[in-house]
Amino acid sequence: QVQLVESGGGLVQPGGSLRLSCAASGFTFSRYAMSWYRQAPGKERELVAMITQDSSRTNYADSVKGRFTISRDDAKNTVLLQMNSLKPDDTAVYYCNAYWLTVPSRIYWGQGTQVTVSS
């Protein structure tokens, strides 16, 4: 069974930090690019950060550059999102995503974890 299970969300004050984890199972993790997306109330889901399967490249949304860091540990089948200097606008449900550019392409999603930034 393919599973992406997020953890680490919660309530944090502005300026604080959280680290999200995504534990993957049921597929060959090292073949997949991994991403974090988020969706806030009334907004569309947006890409937050992406890391290639070999960790050669990362991409970030402009709104989180310099504050968030994505990384992966293939030995543990885990992708992390370190979030620093959090702002209220970062409040959203954060989703883990796995993508393999094949024919047909393969995409998996986690169920999300809530992050709330509030004083």
Side-chain angles (χ1 to χ4, degrees):
Q1 296 289 328
V2 170
Q3 286 189 309
L4 295 174
V5 181
E6 300 97 334
S7 62
L11 175 64
V12 66
Q13 293 182 328
S17 298
L18 284 174
R19 187 172 71 174
L20 304 184
S21 296
C22 174
S25 61
F27 63 97
T28 305
F29 182 80
S30 62
R31 294 178 178 172
Y32 287 73
M34 300 297 298
S35 298
W36 288 94
Y37 287 74
R38 68 185 182 188
Q39 187 166 24
K43 297 183 179 180
E44 295 185 350
R45 187 175 299 184
E46 65 173 342
L47 176 67
V48 177
M50 184 278 292
I51 185 167
T52 56
Q53 58 87 24
D54 60 357
S55 298
S56 62
R57 289 179 288 116
T58 57
N59 289 315
Y60 298 92
D62 288 343
S63 60
V64 308
K65 286 181 179 178
R67 301 189 297 119
F68 291 10
T69 303
I70 188 171
S71 61
R72 65 189 295 157
D73 186 342
D74 287 359
K76 298 181 179 180
N77 287 1
T78 299
V79 61
L80 305 175
L81 184 68
Q82 179 66 46
M83 305 186 294
N84 299 325
S85 302
L86 283 161
K87 305 174 181 180
D89 284 350
D90 295 319
T91 296
V93 177
Y94 284 71
Y95 298 91
C96 182
N97 167 273
Y99 172 65
W100 184 21
L101 182 57
T102 187
V103 181
S105 60
R106 301 191 183 202
I107 304 173
Y108 304 123
W109 291 93
Q111 295 190 19
T113 185
Q114 177 72 48
V115 172
T116 302
V117 184
S118 176
S119 59

